[in-house]
Structures are given as C-alpha cells and as structure tokens.
Amino acid sequence: MLGLRISRLVHATLAGGGLALTTGCPSGGQDTDTDTDTDSTGTDGDSDDPTTTVTPTTDPPPPPPPPVDVTPPQLIAVEFIDPQILRLTFTEAIAPVDDVNPKRFRLSVGRYQKNDYYDDYRRTIYSDPEQYNHQQYCKEVCYDYGYCYYQCYYGPTLELDPLDVLADAYNPAQVVLLLTQPATTNLCNLINAISGDPERPAGLLLHYADGGAAQITDLVGIPLASFGASWVKEGNNPFMYVDDLKFPELNPFLPIPCPFEMPVPPP
C-alpha cells in the first residue's frame, strides 16, 4: 500500500514540473543518451556544382602562317625533244609563260681555249649556232670505170633562235622553247666533236637575261636570275670573245646534248 502511494507521488510531481527524478535504469541496461545531432553540411540547399567549367571568352590563337618562299627558281637541265624544240627543267613550278619574251633566250656555241705553253692566254669564245647550222647534202658519184665517191655540199645556213616560250603540258616545272629552225646533223657533228675535253669545255649553250615584266618567274613571282646575259645583249653580233675568263656569268653551265648526229659518209 505504501509503495502505491510513492509511485503516485512521483508521477504527480513529474507532471507538475517541480522535480527531476529518476527511479532506475531503463530495461535492458542500455544508455539512452544517443547523439541526435545531424551534420548540416551540404544540406542547406546550396546547388552549386564545383566541377562546372566556364566557357572561355577568347578563341584559341590561329595557326602560324606557312613559310614564305624566297628562293628563286633555277634551271637544272636543257635538252632537245625534237630538232626544233628544247625542254627546260627548273627546280620548281613556273608561272604561266604566255607573256614571256622569247628574245630573253639565245643559243651559242661556246668554247674555252687556252694555250698549254703560255698559261696567260685564256679565252672564252661564243659563236652564233647559225654559222654551223646547215644541211649537208651528199650523193654518190660513179665513173664509167667503176670508181665511186660521195660528193657533198652544204645548203644555206638556218637560224637557230628562240621563237616562242610555251608551258609544258605535263610538268609545271618544265618550259618548252620553240626554235625558228631545226638543229641540223651538221651542227650536232660539230658540237659532239668539240665537247668532252674537261680542260677545254665546249658545247651548245643556252643564255638568258632577266628583268622587266616579260620574264620567267615561279608561282609567287620570284624571277629566274640571268645566266650568260651578255651574249643576249650582244644582239646580232655573231661572235663574242672574253679574255682570261671561263664562261663568265654562265651559272649554271649546262651544255645541251645534241643527239641528231649523222655519221659522215665515207670518202
């Protein structure tokens, strides 16, 4: 009976708020003091994404410009493709040649002479190929008693001047030079006879003079440099002599092979 009164008193006191009292441990012996605080980090409604990237306000730099071509074209080969046509080969593609003046070019038979006994005698001689460019005509003549021989004579000389400059149909680094007359076998016989001695070089040579608008250029307008221009400027002079020098101004020195040689008839 007494215990019932104490229990009621305790409950009544607690209900009135005047006493803080515990009457024993909760069942199971477990500690009811649990950490009910929650971590509010990241739960305050902030939706910013730290991985978001910002679009750049400037474009990337442009690529570097291509290198500027400052190298002039060079002639590296001259050859006959027909008795009346020369083909010129350059180190790079050539601009259209429709307006190129063919008189910028001139052919010569060039020889270097020196005296083996007098070393101070040296000379380069240029001659107009027309002097040697003529057809040779031969016929067999026989006598009644059976003796025969070839009688030969030469026709009129033929000019060998550049007539027109044309682009090659297949190779942009090549140019075609049309001549006024074909190169004859007689000219080739002479050229091949005087060529081949390294001590006294000789051959059929091409000369060129640059300058002005009607000249050879590459695709960006860089002109072909002159070679042997003094002979071009001599105009109609059939001979030119240069003492103490070996083919001045002729760089490159490119003797033109003359493949139209014809064997000389037997006597």
Side-chain angles (χ1 to χ4, degrees):
M1 193 68 151
L2 179 60
L4 179 60
R5 290 180 180 177
I6 293 174
S7 177
R8 290 177 177 174
L9 177 62
V10 170
H11 285 288
T13 304
L14 291 173
L19 179 65
L21 180 65
T22 60
T23 59
C25 294
S27 62
Q30 295 181 357
D31 186 1
T32 60
D33 184 15
T34 61
D35 186 6
T36 60
D37 294 337
T38 58
D39 188 0
S40 61
T41 303
T43 60
D44 57 356
D46 185 3
S47 61
D48 290 342
D49 185 355
T51 63
T52 302
T53 58
V54 180
T55 303
T57 57
T58 58
D59 295 330
V68 178
D69 181 9
V70 295
T71 304
Q74 290 185 326
L75 181 68
I76 56 176
V78 186
E79 58 186 333
F80 278 104
I81 57 175
D82 179 271
Q84 202 169 346
I85 299 175
L86 287 172
R87 180 166 59 198
L88 284 55
T89 302
F90 298 90
T91 53
E92 59 181 302
I94 297 301
V97 294
D98 300 344
D99 297 328
V100 173
N101 188 349
K103 291 184 178 180
R104 293 186 174 278
F105 293 95
R106 189 181 180 189
L107 289 166
S108 77
V109 175
R111 312 184 201 193
Y112 177 67
Q113 295 182 340
K114 69 173 186 175
N115 192 304
D116 293 331
Y117 298 99
Y118 302 98
D119 190 54
D120 58 345
Y121 176 79
R122 294 179 297 270
R123 169 180 282 186
T124 297
I125 303 174
Y126 298 109
S127 305
D128 197 310
E130 180 182 345
Q131 308 295 320
Y132 319 100
N133 196 46
H134 38 237
Q135 297 287 2
Q136 184 181 38
Y137 301 92
C138 297
K139 63 180 181 178
E140 188 178 29
V141 178
C142 296
Y143 293 99
D144 294 337
Y145 52 85
Y147 176 75
C148 298
Y149 71 99
Y150 279 92
Q151 185 179 51
C152 299
Y153 62 96
Y154 295 108
T157 59
L158 304 174
E159 291 183 354
L160 202 65
D161 297 326
L163 178 65
D164 201 1
V165 185
L166 306 170
D168 186 83
Y170 303 101
N171 190 338
Q174 292 181 327
V175 168
V176 171
L177 203 60
L178 180 64
L179 305 177
T180 51
Q181 299 287 341
T184 65
T185 56
N186 187 71
L187 174 64
C188 286
N189 285 339
L190 170 70
I191 294 300
N192 295 331
I194 65 176
S195 302
D197 185 354
E199 294 296 322
R200 297 171 178 82
L204 183 64
L205 306 173
L206 182 67
H207 302 245
Y208 171 78
D210 65 0
Q215 61 180 335
I216 298 282
T217 70
D218 64 9
L219 296 180
V220 297
I222 301 178
L224 174 69
S226 293
F227 45 87
S230 296
W231 174 244
V232 179
K233 296 174 183 177
E234 284 292 316
N236 295 325
N237 189 348
F239 298 99
M240 187 175 83
Y241 304 93
V242 183
D243 291 330
D244 299 324
L245 293 174
K246 182 190 294 185
F247 300 107
E249 307 173 348
L250 259 178
N251 185 17
F253 178 71
L254 297 172
I256 306 169
C258 202
F260 313 116
E261 184 178 15
M262 183 176 67
V264 178

